[in-house]
Amino acid sequence: MSQSLFNFESLETGRKVYTVSALTQEIRNFLEPKFLDVWVSGEVSNCRPAASGHLYFTLKDRAAQLRVVCFRNQARYLKFKPQDGVSLIARGRLSVYEARGEYQLMAEYLEPAGLGALQLAFEQLKQKLAAEGMFAPDRKKPLPVLPRTVGVVTSPTGAVIRDILRVLRRRFRNMNVVIYPALVQGAGAAEEIAQGIRYLNQYRLADVLIVARGGGSIEDLWAFNEETVARAIATSGLPVISAVGHETDFTIADFVADLRAPTPSAAAELVVHRKQDFEAELDERRRRMIQAAHLKLSALGHALTTVSMHWVFKALPSQLAQKSQRLDDLSASLHRVTRDRINTFRQRVIEARAGLARMDLQNVLKLKRAHLGHFKNALNVLWTQRLLESRNRLAHARALLGERSPQAILDRGYAIARDASGKVLRSAATVMEGNEISVRLAEGEIGATVRSRRR
């Protein structure tokens, strides 16, 4: 083991000499047991979050400064993010970072000094979402005039749901209500509220949503300040009414929602008008429609009377009588022309029958048979002549082919010589003395060796 980790006695002087590591470790062992749980206040400077999730910053006052580290496991539960210039109180234990020989506070809890942690976290998230445009008026969805179903995300056992149902029953007794039970306070509440909003959207179980909770402290209402709830409301395809706390309470959900109600009961009043108001409105519109219809019919009746008094309509009966008489004349003329055409065609048929009777069909058939026999004899003579000519040409071609056949040439004493590759020899220059050749005769074939050649 390296000696640099330990102190040792100098033999020459008898002094006790520490190595840097040994002295640092001694200091660490001395400090840590004495400062296991301390609270330190100061102003944040040089705050730098690491990629690992750890937070590193310095706490300082007018006379001194102290390095602080907040590891990821503690940093993830902070309700706000430390920033340069913010005064805060840190709780943790003192330790020594031996690699740099510095003492530092390993913080486990951070609390803003003078401004509550929740309020600071509220302001930070509000600024972040506002920068993303989540509070913009142009993204707010209008509420339906008369929803068929109202969805409510809240606790199923609190006074809030009873107030909402009572108001809805009073204003519109047969209104459909779907309740998604969710925690509205404590651990896991934000996730359940966000899940309820997403669930009612996914299955389109309502036309408008109310996210509600009764009044309380900022801690009690904190679930509605969580980013997951804000983003669930922002991405909702259904209009969302935020009804959290009392009229003076404001949450992040109020800013993101399409409409903020001062109380849950007010949300129920805003989501649907009274049934009596709808009926009164329908009665008023019915009355106006009937009145408008009467006025329209009266105006049309007056216009009809005025038009009927025009001279054109007075002359109309006379014109109709003339058109009717003209129609009768045309009908009679058409009847007459049709009768004449039928008589003409009937006379032609009678004449055609008489001409057909005068014809002797047997004589006609006899003449046709004679003509057919004459054509048949002429065709036989022509066919015989053409067949004889074809046979003569075939015999001549056969004889000519026989004379020019290679076999006939061989029969006259000629031969065909080929080289070793089977190619026909046409010149003595294409072979050399000693080459093997084959000679085809009229009957059979012989092999030979070239002994001499002459050109």
Side-chain angles (χ1 to χ4, degrees), residues 226-286:
E226 295 285 358
E227 186 172 354
T228 181
V229 173
R231 295 199 179 278
I233 294 175
T235 57
S236 172
L238 304 174
V240 179
I241 301 176
S242 174
V244 181
H246 301 302
E247 187 171 359
T248 57
D249 296 323
F250 279 90
T251 64
I252 295 296
D254 294 331
F255 296 107
V256 182
D258 299 295
L259 181 65
R260 175 188 180 265
T263 63
S265 299
E269 294 179 354
L270 291 171
V271 77
V272 62
H273 299 284
R274 294 190 312 156
K275 189 174 183 179
Q276 295 87 338
D277 295 339
F278 281 109
E279 292 173 347
E281 178 69 17
L282 290 175
D283 290 339
E284 177 63 19
R285 294 195 179 191
R286 185 185 300 110

Side-chain angles (χ1 to χ4, degrees), residues 354-370:
L356 184 62
R358 290 193 298 269
M359 292 182 64
D360 189 351
L361 295 178
Q362 291 183 351
N363 292 333
V364 172
L365 290 175
K366 185 175 180 180
L367 291 174
K368 295 298 182 182
R369 288 194 183 98

Side-chain angles (χ1 to χ4, degrees), residues 326-336:
R326 177 61 177 164
L327 180 62
D328 290 338
D329 293 343
L330 291 175
S331 178
S333 177
L334 179 62
H335 180 72
R336 184 173 59 256

Side-chain angles (χ1 to χ4, degrees), residues 83-375:
Q83 298 175 350
D84 289 350
V86 173
S87 296
L88 57 77
I89 301 173
R91 179 184 182 182
R93 58 188 179 89
L94 204 61
S95 180
V96 175
Y97 184 47
E98 298 182 17
R100 288 200 297 263
E102 296 177 346
Y103 71 94
Q104 61 184 8
L105 182 68
M106 300 176 68
E108 298 177 358
Y109 174 78
L110 301 177
E111 174 184 302
L115 181 65
L118 294 180
Q119 186 62 34
L120 179 59
F122 177 90
E123 294 297 334
Q124 288 181 345
L125 181 58
K126 181 180 175 183
Q127 293 175 8
K128 175 183 176 181
L129 298 182
E132 294 181 18
M134 285 194 182
F135 306 157
D138 58 358
R139 59 167 299 277
K140 306 291 185 181
K141 296 179 285 295
L143 302 184
V145 176
L146 180 58
R148 291 172 294 181
T149 304
V150 176
V152 182
V153 180
T154 189
S155 171
T157 59
V160 168
I161 189 61
R162 293 195 296 271
D163 292 342
I164 291 175
L165 293 177
R166 184 177 65 255
V167 173
L168 290 177
R169 191 179 302 113
R170 186 183 72 244
R171 295 177 69 82
F172 208 101
R173 179 169 293 276
N174 54 343
M175 174 61 65
N176 297 318
V177 180
V178 176
I179 301 173
Y180 186 95
L183 291 174
V184 292
Q185 180 178 341
E191 288 71 17
E192 289 194 13
I193 296 168
Q195 179 59 32
I197 296 170
R198 290 191 290 265
Y199 181 86
L200 294 176
N201 270 273
Q202 179 179 359
Y203 296 101
R204 308 298 294 184
L205 298 179
D207 301 307
V208 61
L209 304 182
I210 298 176
V211 180
R213 188 205 187 283
S217 64
I218 187 172
E219 291 83 0
D220 296 336
L221 304 180
W222 190 254
F224 297 90
N225 290 322
E226 295 285 358
E227 186 172 354
T228 181
V229 173
R231 295 199 179 278
I233 294 175
T235 57
S236 172
L238 304 174
V240 179
I241 301 176
S242 174
V244 181
H246 301 302
E247 187 171 359
T248 57
D249 296 323
F250 279 90
T251 64
I252 295 296
D254 294 331
F255 296 107
V256 182
D258 299 295
L259 181 65
R260 175 188 180 265
T263 63
S265 299
E269 294 179 354
L270 291 171
V271 77
V272 62
H273 299 284
R274 294 190 312 156
K275 189 174 183 179
Q276 295 87 338
D277 295 339
F278 281 109
E279 292 173 347
E281 178 69 17
L282 290 175
D283 290 339
E284 177 63 19
R285 294 195 179 191
R286 185 185 300 110
R287 185 188 66 78
R288 292 180 181 178
M289 289 178 63
I290 293 174
Q291 184 180 8
H294 286 162
L295 292 175
K296 188 67 175 178
L297 289 174
S298 177
L300 291 175
H302 178 71
L304 180 61
T305 302
T306 303
V307 172
S308 64
M309 298 298 294
H310 197 274
W311 67 269
V312 173
F313 292 97
K314 292 182 178 180
L316 187 60
S318 176
Q319 293 180 359
L320 289 176
Q322 293 181 13
K323 297 297 182 182
S324 178
Q325 185 176 358
R326 177 61 177 164
L327 180 62
D328 290 338
D329 293 343
L330 291 175
S331 178
S333 177
L334 179 62
H335 180 72
R336 184 173 59 256
V337 172
T338 302
R339 186 181 64 242
D340 293 344
R341 290 290 182 90
I342 291 175
N343 291 335
T344 301
F345 284 124
R346 184 181 290 116
Q347 184 63 31
R348 289 180 181 178
V349 170
I350 293 173
E351 292 176 357
R353 284 179 178 175
L356 184 62
R358 290 193 298 269
M359 292 182 64
D360 189 351
L361 295 178
Q362 291 183 351
N363 292 333
V364 172
L365 290 175
K366 185 175 180 180
L367 291 174
K368 295 298 182 182
R369 288 194 183 98
H371 284 297
L372 183 60
H374 175 72
F375 288 138

